[in-house]
Amino acid sequence: MNSTSTASLTDLTLDAAVIGSGVGGLYALQRLRDQMGLDARAFDDAGGVGGTWYWNRYPGCRVDTEAAVYCYSFDPALFRDWRWSERYPRQAEVLAYLNAVADKHDLKRSIHFNTRIVRAEWDEASALWRLTTASGERFAARYIFEGVGLLSSTNLPEFPGAETFGGEIHHAARWPAGGVDLAGKRVAVIGTGSTGIQIITEIAPQVAELYVLQRTPQYVVPLGLSPFPADKRARMDADRQGFVDWALDSASVFGLEESVTPAMSVSAEERERIYERAWRKGGGFGFMLETFGDIIVSKEANQTATDFIRAKIRAIVKDPALAAKLSPQDLYAKRPLAVDGYYETFNRANVRLVDVKAAPIVAITANGIRTTAEDIAVDVIIFATGFDAVTGNYLKIETIGRNGRRLQDKWAAGPHGFIGMTIADFPNLFMIFGPFGPFTSQPLVHEYQINWMTSLVAHARARGLRAIDTDAAVEDAWVQTCRDGMAQTLFPEVDSWINGANVPGKPRAAMFYMGGMAAYMKELERIVESGYGCFRFD
Ligand code: N01
């Protein structure tokens, strides 16, 4: 703990309050404090930096975006000197990286850890946000930058009897820092998304019995673990800015050669060869984006991918009935999943698939999990049940904008916002990777957005303008653009966090701009060229 963390906040008036010290929050703090010379501080519920990488310490956790683009570019020396060990590093390495960034830039002295912001109210007279922490301290800031995490607010389904369970229950995204001893234990994992599949493959060899409670089967492709590729390193070293520009000037910013070839424009043999090559190379995003350009927009193209993956499942899983249970029947239109050896894990004698769609979980008992079909005795239950994604953490902060308008009311039927960064009637409040931003990988896009937002702040400050608000009609038009774009894809047809369908009672909504990063950057450049005509300053 340092002096800033322990100092009283009451009566403080900051230029900028950054909420969160994950990938986005750390850079926002550096940019505001060090590059712009503002009095900026960050606030985080966690005891250290890292955001998602601070909380997600579950076994098997690693980044499934290539590290080449899962890093900052703002510090050339850091970009050059930090050497990732693997193409897809483990959580500990990503967290070490974020700590190294924070230490190099001496950011921790400006971060209040263990400090949750619970309320923010706009004060029109002073053009300041009045913020309140969970412990009741109140302070003010001209600007708020919310780096609260796209996938951070946990989704923990409530099953009756959980309090009677004699063993341990953990949500993967709130994993104890000291770890959990699973060796020789009977373990149940609920959920088979990105988190569940990493845990399942990692712990299967360690535990006595592993019960995989699957509600919906998923398409999982190999990740292709390898040391950090030397050719990519050489490219990054030769031309940092060129590499970053190349990654950004794409649809997805995953550092891939995105295909524009329609799946049906090649012969069946050629398709098979392309899918097989992608399967061997690994990478979930690569399998979806480097093979063909229309997998996420054309059902016919999509089916060629699903047929290929289902054939792989049948070839890998020895028991045909089990292979059938593991085979999805819906479209390949969720956030793609990748892990090495997932289907192979189900050939192990100590792993059992439990179909909780056929026989749902009804309770947690003293000894384990009760479904409508059976009682399963376990020592540890792991919830890999995901997140109240995109909007969850924004809505946890009671946010009151102009004329007493509550964010919770404005978003009651689903989020409403502009370019993933601002919200009409909530002046000087900036979101990092908020709703209606691009559907891309994050760190480089965080940097891009933060640079853009802070340039907008600098524009206003240079003209002595205290408040920056979004034009409501422009916001409406942007939301419609996002809805139209999403409707052209297959994502709305499958339930997942992408459309809010994973959390019971959450409004189903389009929450992303699907035009791709390159088009998004052009939109933002046009706004700058118009003299920020989409905004109202006063
Ligand atoms: O969450 P998910 P996640 N009873 O929502 C099941 C990022 N991430 O944490 O499909 C039983 O994808 C649910 O079942 P169903 C990444 O962007 C990245 O795995 O709704 N089951 C599903 O199987 C990812 O997309 C990384 O029927 C229940 C699972 O829980 C995002 O986070 C690693 C249930 C939730 O899957 C979210 O991934 C980890 C219930 N009541 C995460 N409720 C990397 O970079 C939910 N489920 C590697």
Side-chain angles (χ1 to χ4, degrees):
M1 206 57 79
N2 53 55
S3 55
T4 296
S5 305
T6 50
S8 168
L9 289 165
T10 301
D11 299 330
L12 189 70
T13 298
L14 297 169
D15 291 323
V18 177
I19 308 180
S21 64
V23 177
L26 282 180
Y27 178 59
L29 178 62
Q30 197 278 341
R31 170 86 174 172
L32 290 158
R33 190 194 71 179
D34 297 351
Q35 297 183 44
M36 296 177 72
L38 299 183
D39 184 6
R41 294 196 196 175
F43 302 84
D44 202 311
D45 198 17
V49 301
T52 198
W53 301 104
Y54 175 90
W55 295 109
N56 284 267
R57 295 161 189 258
Y58 61 80
C61 183
R62 60 170 78 237
V63 57
D64 67 359
T65 300
E66 288 195 32
V69 291
Y70 204 90
C71 58
Y72 299 111
S73 69
F74 75 92
D75 176 339
L78 182 83
F79 191 82
R80 184 191 62 225
D81 296 340
W82 184 269
R83 299 276 142 167
W84 295 105
S85 67
E86 291 184 85
R87 185 177 168 202
Y88 302 107
R90 284 189 179 270
Q91 171 269 343
E93 192 170 343
V94 181
L95 186 60
Y97 169 74
L98 294 172
N99 271 288
V101 175
D103 290 338
K104 179 174 180 194
H105 290 275
D106 196 14
L107 296 176
K108 290 177 186 170
R109 71 178 160 85
S110 301
I111 305 174
H112 295 256
F113 294 113
N114 305 303
T115 305
R116 171 171 274 278
I117 303 295
V118 294
R119 193 169 193 280
E121 179 166 7
W122 175 251
D123 176 354
E124 194 70 62
S126 60
L128 291 171
W129 282 97
R130 308 266 170 209
L131 295 114
T132 311
T133 69
S135 62
E137 287 189 286
R138 292 166 59 84
F139 65 100
R142 175 79 67 217
Y143 311 103
I144 301 178
F145 282 76
E146 294 200 33
V148 293
L150 182 80
L151 293 147
S152 176
S153 176
T154 52
N155 172 41
L156 185 61
E158 286 182 15
F159 296 113
E163 69 289 351
T164 67
F165 182 55
E168 292 179 51
I169 297 181
H170 299 286
H171 191 290
R174 289 293 177 276
W175 201 255
V180 179
D181 183 12
L182 299 174
K185 302 235 170 98
R186 300 165 302 170
V187 179
V189 176
I190 306 176
T192 52
S194 301
T195 304
I197 63 166
Q198 288 186 330
I199 296 174
I200 291 160
T201 45
E202 179 84 4
I203 70 172
Q206 306 160 17
V207 302
E209 295 166 28
L210 176 59
Y211 297 89
V212 175
L213 280 68
Q214 170 193 278
R215 192 165 64 179
T216 313
Q218 309 256 21
Y219 297 101
V220 182
V221 308
L223 184 57
L225 290 180
S226 75
F228 194 89
D231 56 341
K232 201 146 251 178
R233 186 75 252 172
R235 254 180 91 185
M236 294 164 75
D237 287 347
D239 179 9
R240 176 186 60 93
Q241 197 55 51
F243 181 82
V244 171
D245 291 346
W246 165 77
L248 284 171
D249 189 21
S250 65
S252 66
V253 199
F254 281 104
L256 305 169
E257 298 293 348
E258 295 162 348
S259 173
V260 290
T261 307
M264 306 314 287
S265 69
V266 303
S267 68
E269 294 72 31
E270 176 66 359
R271 263 199 310 277
E272 186 76 7
R273 199 185 60 73
I274 289 172
Y275 282 136
E276 186 61 39
R277 191 180 57 199
W279 182 273
R280 284 172 193 277
K281 180 180 170 202
F285 293 98
F287 192 87
M288 189 178 257
L289 302 173
E290 282 187 310
T291 50
F292 298 104
D294 55 352
I295 288 179
I296 55 171
V297 293
S298 153
K299 283 191 181 168
E300 199 180 17
N302 196 273
Q303 196 184 333
T304 65
T306 59
D307 285 349
F308 179 89
I309 301 174
R310 278 193 293 263
K312 284 289 184 194
I313 300 171
R314 286 193 297 275
I316 294 167
V317 180
K318 290 180 185 147
D319 173 355
L322 182 55
K325 276 192 192 167
L326 285 164
S327 297
Q329 298 305 321
D330 52 2
L331 295 164
Y332 182 41
K334 293 183 180 177
R335 192 274 203 194
L337 308 189
V339 80
D340 286 342
Y342 180 64
Y343 295 114
E344 288 83 347
T345 300
F346 291 88
N347 290 329
R348 298 180 61 94
N350 69 333
V351 177
R352 206 187 118 202
L353 185 72
V354 181
D355 181 350
V356 293
K357 184 159 269 169
I361 302 167
V362 288
I364 293 177
T365 66
N367 296 323
I369 295 176
R370 178 165 298 157
T371 72
T372 54
E374 62 180 324
D375 275 355
I376 302 165
V378 291
D379 306 305
V380 182
I381 300 173
I382 301 174
F383 280 83
T385 45
F387 303 93
D388 180 358
V390 190
T391 55
N393 270 349
Y394 294 102
L395 292 173
K396 281 186 176 165
I397 302 170
E398 168 95 22
T399 306
I400 298 148
R402 280 205 152 129
N403 304 315
R405 183 134 201 227
R406 292 174 74 247
L407 185 66
Q408 284 69 12
D409 295 334
K410 176 160 176 158
W411 286 9
H416 213 76
F418 185 52
I419 54 175
M421 297 194 265
T422 65
I423 310 167
D425 283 337
F426 295 81
N428 293 4
L429 187 156
F430 298 99
M431 300 180 289
I432 304 165
F433 222 78
F436 306 108
F439 191 62
T440 57
S441 79
Q442 298 196 37
L444 295 176
V445 178
H446 285 173
E447 275 186 344
Y448 186 89
Q449 287 191 328
I450 291 162
N451 290 343
W452 197 90
M453 292 186 279
T454 50
S455 296
L456 169 59
V457 165
H459 172 90
R461 290 175 74 82
R463 287 159 182 76
L465 303 165
R466 294 193 307 177
I468 306 165
D469 202 354
T470 306
D471 183 283
V474 172
E475 179 182 81
D476 289 346
W478 181 259
V479 169
Q480 195 55 46
T481 298
C482 293
R483 287 183 182 148
D484 294 345
M486 187 58 93
Q488 286 170 29
T489 75
L490 301 175
F491 290 112
E493 304 211 14
V494 180
D495 288 352
S496 80
W497 64 259
I498 294 171
N499 46 45
N502 67 319
V503 175
K506 181 168 176 167
R508 216 183 156 105
M511 297 195 277
F512 292 96
Y513 169 75
M514 300 304 286
M517 185 64 187
Y520 177 75
M521 291 191 299
K522 287 205 175 75
E523 296 273 5
L524 298 193
E525 280 159 24
R526 271 197 287 274
I527 296 172
V528 177
E529 282 159 15
S530 74
Y532 296 103
C534 306
F535 295 95
R536 292 181 179 175
F537 300 92
D538 48 45

